Amino acid sequence: IFSATVLYNGELVEDGVEIDFEFIHPNGQSIGIVTPTNAGEGLFTIETSFDLPGTYNIISHVSYENAHEMPQVEVTLK
């Protein structure tokens, strides 16, 4: 399960936010972009699995009002 909590000026954002998770394969190719479920209280989640071991990058594309952020995390699967 991957999740993101969206804040704007320190406040939780539930409505009017555009968010997608992009998954990048260890070879650098984009696997795809998925829109997470709004779980409420600023939390957006998705459940997924990977077929192969390696280090994957997950980029959250988040747009709200005049802001666009792209935080990224690495996940290593063995």
Side-chain angles (χ1 to χ4, degrees):
I1 297 176
F2 292 94
S3 64
T5 301
V6 179
L7 300 167
Y8 186 77
N9 290 332
E11 300 289 324
L12 294 172
V13 175
E14 294 188 42
D15 297 316
V17 64
E18 294 178 25
I19 181 170
D20 292 307
F21 293 154
E22 180 177 11
F23 296 89
I24 309 293
H25 191 272
N27 68 10
Q29 298 278 336
S30 177
I31 298 171
I33 297 175
V34 180
T35 301
T37 301
N38 184 341
E41 298 184 11
L43 183 65
F44 295 82
T45 64
I46 186 137
E47 186 174 336
T48 192
S49 62
F50 297 92
D51 294 333
L52 301 171
T55 299
Y56 293 80
N57 288 303
I58 296 91
I59 303 169
S60 298
H61 297 270
V62 184
S63 296
Y64 181 73
E65 294 193 0
N66 296 330
H68 181 78
E69 299 288 331
M70 294 173 46
Q72 178 176 322
V73 297
E74 284 187 351
V75 176
T76 300
L77 304 173
K78 297 180 179 187

